[in-house]
């Protein structure tokens, strides 16, 4: 149906990126009949979906369709917005994250987030990565050094900055700053990593570095990424969910959704008939 996306799947396989193997994967997170309102305006309508562990799940759809709002429900970032309310359930390892017994600080350690615009702190590279562990009570210098080195390596940034760890993070390039933010998110040992268009403001080379990093990180983390770039979703994700006007239209293995979608609305979107 879509030769372009079929070619991307072939390229993924040839480059060593395997096609999705999702059978039997446990759900790391789930939403059940999730609805959300900003004041009187409903933004999400009865979203029920599972997010498989140690996979990349991409959320696609036109601007304003609810995908970023949905992403923020997964670590309660919408709690910071006045007038937001929701119904339904959001589960992490089967536990309701909106239960009063759930500690929000602990939740956000387990479910980290990387934003669209890189936002390094006006501190050194070292202190950016060490910030979360320090807040958690890690103060021994040797422990912090191990965490910083490990996370910068996981973010594919160590070789570029190891000789200037005490330089300001603001002196890094845009792509480096975004990888630093990923390293900072990894420093709290999350189980889930949420990414809201992490490469939208980057040049092609930096975008490829972020995509390669996402592919490597899924061996250890469950990743959910919002992207406007459908080719990017096809390249990096195992599962894709298509949102439209606050509704989940279709979700499934990426290769199937892009080449054999079940819903005509999905087909119209990925073939460029609207959006």
């Amino acid at each position: 149906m879509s030769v372009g996306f079929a070619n991307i799947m072939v390229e993924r396989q040839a480059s060593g990126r395997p096609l999705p193997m999702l059978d039997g994967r446990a759900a790391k997170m789930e939403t059940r009949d999730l609805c959300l309102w900003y004041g009187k305006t409903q933004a999400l309508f009865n979203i029920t979906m599972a997010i498989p562990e140690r996979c990349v799940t991409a959320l696609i759809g036109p601007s304003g369709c609810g995908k970023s709002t949905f992403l923020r429900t997964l670590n309660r970032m919408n709690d910071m917005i006045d007038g937001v309310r929701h119904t339904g359930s959001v589960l992490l390892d089967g536990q309701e994250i909106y239960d009063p017994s759930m500690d929000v600080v602990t939740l956000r350690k387990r479910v980290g987030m990387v934003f669209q615009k890189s936002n390094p702190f006006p501190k050194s590279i070292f202190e950016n990565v060490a910030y979360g562990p320090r807040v958690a009570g890690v103060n021994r210098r040797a422990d912090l050094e191990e965490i910083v080195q490990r996370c910068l390596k996981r973010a594919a940034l160590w070789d570029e900055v190891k000789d200037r760890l005490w330089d300001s993070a603001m002196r890094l390039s845009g792509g480096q700053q975004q990888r630093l933010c990923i390293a900072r998110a990894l420093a709290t040992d999350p189980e889930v990593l949420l990414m809201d268009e992490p490469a939208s403001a980057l040049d092609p080379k930096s975008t490829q570095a972020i995509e390669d990093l996402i592919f490597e990180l899924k061996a250890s983390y469950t990743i959910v990424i919002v992207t406007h770039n459908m080719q990017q979703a096809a390249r990096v994700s195992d599962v894709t969910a298509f949102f439209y006007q606050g509704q989940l239209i279709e979700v499934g293995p990426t290769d199937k959704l892009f080449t054999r979608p079940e819903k005509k609305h999905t087909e119209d979107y990925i073939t460029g008939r609207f959006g």
Side-chain angles (χ1 to χ4, degrees):
M1 186 268 307
S2 175
V3 174
F5 289 115
N7 287 342
I8 288 175
M9 297 302 165
V10 172
E11 290 169 5
R12 262 176 56 159
Q13 204 166 36
S15 68
R17 294 184 177 185
L19 296 177
M21 297 292 289
L22 301 177
D23 292 345
R25 292 288 181 109
K28 184 66 178 176
M29 299 196 75
E30 295 178 74
T31 64
R32 298 176 182 172
D33 295 318
L34 176 66
C35 299
L36 181 139
W37 291 261
Y38 294 109
K40 295 181 179 180
T41 302
Q42 188 167 359
L44 295 176
F45 297 81
N46 301 105
I47 308 297
T48 295
M49 67 177 285
I51 297 169
E53 65 178 353
R54 297 192 180 184
C55 289
V56 179
T57 299
L59 312 180
I60 65 170
S63 296
C65 69
K67 54 190 184 294
S68 290
T69 294
F70 176 79
L71 189 78
R72 292 194 299 267
T73 66
L74 301 180
N75 72 344
R76 296 183 53 172
M77 289 295 289
N78 289 317
D79 289 8
M80 301 178 178
I81 304 173
D82 290 338
V84 169
R85 63 185 179 89
H86 82 282
T87 60
S89 297
V90 182
L91 307 176
L92 173 62
D93 289 333
Q95 182 180 8
E96 172 59 67
I97 71 170
Y98 285 89
D99 189 277
S101 65
M102 172 64 73
D103 179 73
V104 178
V105 174
T106 300
L107 170 68
R108 291 180 185 150
K109 288 179 183 177
R110 296 179 65 190
V111 185
M113 191 159 191
V114 177
F115 296 93
Q116 178 178 1
K117 189 179 187 305
S118 58
N119 58 341
F121 301 145
K123 299 174 179 286
S124 69
I125 295 166
F126 183 97
E127 289 298 341
N128 263 268
V129 183
Y131 179 83
R134 283 192 193 279
V135 170
V138 179
N139 291 306
R140 202 166 77 94
R141 181 56 177 263
D143 293 336
L144 290 171
E145 288 177 347
E146 187 277 328
I147 292 170
V148 169
Q149 180 173 339
R150 170 168 46 86
C151 293
L152 287 172
K153 283 182 175 179
R154 283 185 175 176
L157 192 57
W158 173 253
D159 289 340
E160 298 171 40
V161 303
K162 62 184 178 182
D163 296 324
R164 50 189 181 121
L165 293 177
W166 297 102
D167 287 359
S168 170
M170 312 309 289
R171 295 173 62 181
L172 296 174
S173 69
Q176 289 173 326
Q177 286 187 8
Q178 192 65 297
R179 281 181 283 149
L180 178 64
C181 291
I182 293 172
R184 189 176 67 198
L186 298 179
T188 60
D189 288 325
E191 300 160 41
V192 181
L193 195 58
L194 311 178
M195 296 184 167
D196 194 355
E197 297 192 72
S200 65
L202 302 180
D203 60 85
K205 183 178 179 180
S206 296
T207 295
Q208 182 177 349
I210 295 294
E211 290 182 2
D212 290 344
L213 176 57
I214 290 170
F215 181 76
E216 293 171 7
L217 289 175
K218 76 173 183 178
S220 303
Y221 305 93
T222 300
I223 298 173
V224 186
I225 178 173
V226 166
T227 179
H228 274 102
N229 186 324
M230 287 185 288
Q231 287 81 6
Q232 182 177 81
R235 286 192 296 265
V236 306
S237 69
D238 303 288
V239 175
T240 297
F242 169 51
F243 283 73
Y244 184 67
Q245 294 185 345
Q247 300 182 60
L248 176 62
I249 304 300
E250 184 171 353
V251 60
T254 294
D255 61 333
K256 180 178 181 297
L257 186 136
F258 276 114
T259 59
R260 303 181 307 281
E262 295 180 358
K263 307 289 187 181
K264 186 176 186 303
H265 218 69
T266 309
E267 179 178 350
D268 288 346
Y269 181 72
I270 65 176
T271 55
R273 294 194 180 105
F274 77 95

